[in-house]
Amino acid sequence: MPPKLLINLILALLAASVTAAAAARRHPSPASSAAAGGEPVYLWPLPKNFTSGSLTLLVDPDLELDAQGPGGAAAAVAEAFERYRSLIFAPWAHAARNASGGYDVGKLTVVVASADEKLELGVDESYTIYVAAAHGVNSIVGGATIEANTIYGAIRGLETFSQLCVFNYDTKNVEVRHAPWYIEDEPRFAFRGLLLDTSRHFLPVDVIKQVIDSMSFSKLNVLHWHIIDEQSFPLEVPSYPNLWKGSYSKLERYTVEDARDIVRCSLISRLKLPDSKAMLGKEVSMSWLKLTCLAMQNHGERDIQSSGLLLSVENHMRKIFPFGLFHLGGDEVYTGCWNATPHVKQWLHERNMTTKDAYKYFVLKAQEIAINLKWIPVNWEETFNSFKENLNPLTVVHNWLGPGVCPKVVEKGFRCIMSNQGVWYLDHLDVPWEDFYTSEPLAGISNTAQQKLVLGGEVCMWGETADTSDVQQTIWPRAAAAAAYVESVGGHICPRPGNNRLGSVTLFQMPAESPWNRCSSSHKLLCSASPNQSWFMLHSVNRELQSKDRHRRGICLHTPSTVPTKMVSCQF
């Protein structure tokens, strides 16, 4: 047998043995610190604070909503309740209802303190959940209550409540295990984003909606829709109808109605996203910078002066995307074509400007237009690196080139978003989930006031190598790892002394199969390809803990001998 073939055979046998071992541990034992009995409960991201117990409660398939408070009557709350109820219960659940009743949770009370439905960056997404047996010692009327200051916090609470509800295949009941539960939760950062690129590979509207739907399961709240780039221009701009002739084909375009439908999806049907959700990213302005030669041939020097095309497009985009942030791009700009275009070269010569000057002029003009339209401008870090002293003070600088950028940005008083390509680019398939999980947007920033200037982070799904067939599988589960990394303690990640049981702490696991028993629709896309991927994930970290200095490397995690009353924040 040839040596190469023998090696391949050995590797195949090893892979088979690993798969068999994974199957044998498909349902890892609950942590010794957890309540006795029952299957593990997967909460992802792990709530900021919680307590749990040792009871198992039955949830009525006819679960009722009791909406209270000034904001409880909002249509968004009722719509979200119906959506999550359909996720929790199978279509036949009502028919299989116990004739004798005996359900512990028959009503979900949702109390919302404010009727204000305004969406803005930093909107309150906090919530509190109580789940206990109705009429029990620590009873909550009807069995479960969600309290929130806003409807957005209530919707986040509904997501967590749905994760507590687990289908029992033996009894065909939906259960809440390890009750009673008390959960207090709020996100660590206001901006928790996912960039989706539809310029390199066109994605149908339904696929974009699936991505938005799946984002809610990890409580991501910003969809950065990168519509346009030099490869294609698929978006309709009615005032310039020739632009979308730059699409791959007539069938690979987004009408104005498509864009509005996606905005409605992100705002109403799925996420109730705060502020810039469906944020039109560098898809317009960066494309003007990259497509300048083409645009100038069509529209003349108005482009470089930003008095025609850019103004018209930004006005048009404002009508579709009514959000607070507008991403103006400005990265990887090729300016050589300006000197190759006679009338533009003449325009620069008359003003004694270099192409570098023109680049700055264009970006600042785009910012001026955006601010006049009541947008907050976002620019990639090249603009900060090139002419930070000229950027508008409102500018949000978006990091991508590497680490160490946000400390420089906030030191100058600008706000920052972290997307370090070495750890948070989903198209970089060689980046392991551990790097997504442990990346810290506040790294290198010790000043409390400067830390507040970091809005959060964004994982990026660039589309050069991903299309409809694999985009969701490429996004998940690593995007969920970024959404739930462990908050650092004392400026670095540190394990508790003596903690070597990370592999058995089930509450910290990535969902091993059907996350919260949802393997239908887009929930399938969060399911691990390996039947026990979470076990391998945790044990790989555990091995790393054992092999390195515990005070320099690891995961901060409480593993007391009793049910944990508080665990470190896992939200981002």
Side-chain angles (χ1 to χ4, degrees):
M1 180 180 295
K4 185 175 182 181
L5 182 58
L6 177 60
I7 292 172
N8 290 338
L9 178 59
I10 292 172
L11 291 175
L13 291 173
L14 286 173
S17 65
V18 169
T19 302
R25 289 185 56 91
R26 188 177 182 85
H27 296 287
S29 301
S32 57
S33 62
E39 295 290 336
V41 177
Y42 298 109
L43 296 179
W44 199 267
L46 196 69
K48 186 175 182 180
N49 299 308
F50 66 88
T51 61
S52 60
S54 58
L55 301 177
T56 295
L57 309 180
L58 298 185
V59 185
D60 194 333
D62 290 328
L63 184 69
E64 297 179 0
L65 171 65
D66 180 14
Q68 299 182 11
V77 173
E79 291 171 2
F81 173 77
E82 292 299 327
R83 183 169 65 253
Y84 278 108
R85 185 166 64 175
S86 68
L87 288 171
I88 293 169
F89 298 101
W92 45 261
H94 178 81
R97 192 176 188 275
N98 293 336
S100 59
Y103 291 100
D104 302 296
V105 181
K107 182 187 297 183
L108 176 60
T109 302
V110 179
V111 184
V112 183
S114 173
D116 186 1
E117 298 185 24
K118 184 180 180 181
L119 286 171
E120 57 185 356
L121 189 66
V123 68
D124 191 339
E125 297 177 69
S126 64
Y127 63 91
T128 303
I129 297 179
Y130 312 85
V131 184
H135 313 300
V137 176
N138 298 314
S139 87
I140 300 296
V141 176
T145 297
I146 297 173
E147 296 181 357
N149 292 322
T150 68
I151 61 173
Y152 309 110
I155 293 172
R156 296 300 186 212
L158 284 166
E159 169 62 35
T160 300
F161 176 76
S162 74
Q163 296 178 19
L164 291 173
C165 296
V166 180
F167 182 73
N168 186 320
Y169 282 89
D170 295 323
T171 65
K172 297 185 179 179
N173 286 316
V174 170
E175 303 171 344
V176 173
R177 298 163 183 169
H178 305 302
W181 283 91
Y182 170 71
I183 296 172
E184 287 182 323
D185 197 17
E186 63 181 345
R188 186 176 172 219
F189 292 105
F191 190 107
R192 308 179 305 281
L194 167 66
L195 180 147
L196 188 65
D197 175 13
T198 61
S199 67
R200 277 56 178 255
H201 277 96
F202 178 86
L203 299 175
V205 170
D206 285 348
V207 173
I208 297 175
K209 289 182 178 180
Q210 288 175 7
V211 172
I212 293 171
D213 194 14
S214 62
M215 287 171 63
S216 68
F217 308 150
S218 290
K219 298 186 175 72
L220 294 176
N221 72 341
V222 178
L223 174 66
H224 178 167
W225 185 13
H226 183 87
I227 306 176
I228 299 162
D229 213 302
E230 57 188 328
Q231 286 81 3
S232 72
F233 198 115
L235 181 65
E236 178 185 19
V237 180
S239 54
Y240 289 90
N242 288 331
L243 287 176
W244 72 343
K245 291 182 180 180
S247 63
Y248 292 122
S249 72
K250 289 185 177 181
L251 298 178
E252 295 169 296
R253 293 177 175 178
Y254 302 108
T255 65
V256 170
E257 292 75 16
D258 287 331
R260 286 177 175 153
D261 184 33
I262 290 170
V263 170
R264 283 193 297 270
C265 169
S266 63
L267 292 179
I268 297 174
S269 301
R270 272 60 170 193
L271 289 178
K272 280 290 179 183
L273 300 176
D275 194 56
S276 58
K277 323 327 171 205
M279 183 173 68
L280 188 70
K282 62 181 185 181
E283 46 280 65
V284 171
S285 295
M286 189 197 74
S287 297
W288 297 144
L289 291 170
K290 285 189 173 181
L291 296 172
T292 302
C293 290
L294 173 62
M296 296 215 171
Q297 291 170 8
N298 292 334
H299 304 289
E301 66 180 42
R302 291 176 299 172
D303 290 24
I304 194 66
Q305 297 175 25
S306 301
S307 58
L309 177 63
L310 186 59
L311 176 61
S312 177
V313 170
E314 287 198 40
N315 268 300
H316 178 70
M317 293 300 104
R318 194 64 171 123
K319 297 175 184 178
I320 301 176
F321 302 97
F323 306 118
L325 301 181
F326 189 75
H327 207 306
L328 294 170
D331 69 319
E332 298 181 324
V333 177
Y334 174 66
T335 61
C337 63
W338 292 345
N339 276 328
T341 306
H343 67 274
V344 176
K345 184 177 180 180
Q346 178 64 28
W347 188 88
L348 295 174
H349 178 71
E350 291 172 358
R351 290 156 180 79
N352 195 29
M353 292 172 62
T354 65
T355 55
K356 184 177 180 180
D357 296 329
Y359 167 47
K360 179 176 72 173
Y361 176 90
F362 191 98
V363 169
L364 298 181
K365 193 69 174 180
Q367 284 196 340
E368 177 187 329
I369 294 171
I371 291 170
N372 287 337
L373 292 171
K374 310 302 181 184
W375 265 320
I376 296 172
V378 185
N379 284 99
W380 293 105
E381 67 179 84
E382 284 94 329
T383 59
F384 175 81
N385 297 335
S386 299
F387 42 87
K388 61 178 72 69
E389 65 280 356
N390 300 114
L391 290 174
N392 189 285
L394 294 174
T395 303
V396 177
V397 178
H398 195 166
N399 150 250
W400 75 277
L401 286 172
V405 176
C406 283
K408 298 176 183 177
V409 169
V410 299
E411 186 179 10
K412 294 295 183 180
F414 295 103
R415 288 173 290 180
C416 190
I417 297 169
M418 195 276 276
S419 289
N420 178 359
Q421 65 173 334
V423 290
W424 273 3
Y425 266 33
L426 294 160
D427 58 312
H428 292 192
L429 301 181
D430 58 331
V431 179
W433 74 269
E434 295 95 332
D435 290 350
F436 279 83
Y437 189 68
T438 58
S439 297
E440 174 53 70
L442 298 182
I445 307 173
S446 58
N447 182 286
T448 303
Q450 292 179 2
Q451 288 179 345
K452 293 179 179 179
L453 295 176
V454 179
L455 298 183
E458 176 179 291
V459 290
C460 299
M461 182 64 260
W462 296 107
E464 286 90 341
T465 59
D467 60 15
T468 302
S469 68
D470 62 354
V471 65
Q472 288 273 31
Q473 297 92 318
T474 308
I475 292 172
W476 309 107
R478 289 183 301 158
Y485 71 85
V486 178
E487 183 175 358
S488 65
V489 177
H492 62 279
I493 299 174
C494 57
R496 294 289 183 262
N499 171 24
N500 59 2
R501 295 183 291 140
L502 186 59
S504 64
V505 181
T506 55
L507 284 171
F508 247 75
Q509 292 187 35
M510 291 286 289
E513 41 181 334
S514 139
W516 327 297
N517 288 310
R518 305 175 190 169
C519 248
S520 60
S521 70
S522 52
H523 285 91
K524 289 181 178 178
L525 303 162
L526 288 177
C527 297
S528 166
S530 165
N532 200 25
Q533 185 175 7
S534 63
W535 184 83
F536 288 115
M537 283 182 173
L538 288 172
H539 277 271
S540 66
V541 175
N542 196 34
R543 286 194 297 271
E544 189 170 29
L545 285 174
Q546 294 171 345
S547 63
K548 296 186 178 181
D549 182 354
R550 291 177 182 279
H551 296 283
R552 293 181 174 272
R553 182 77 172 171
I555 304 293
C556 286
L557 175 65
H558 290 280
T559 54
S561 57
T562 58
V563 178
T565 58
K566 180 176 181 180
M567 301 186 81
V568 294
S569 171
C570 273
Q571 283 238 30
F572 127 78

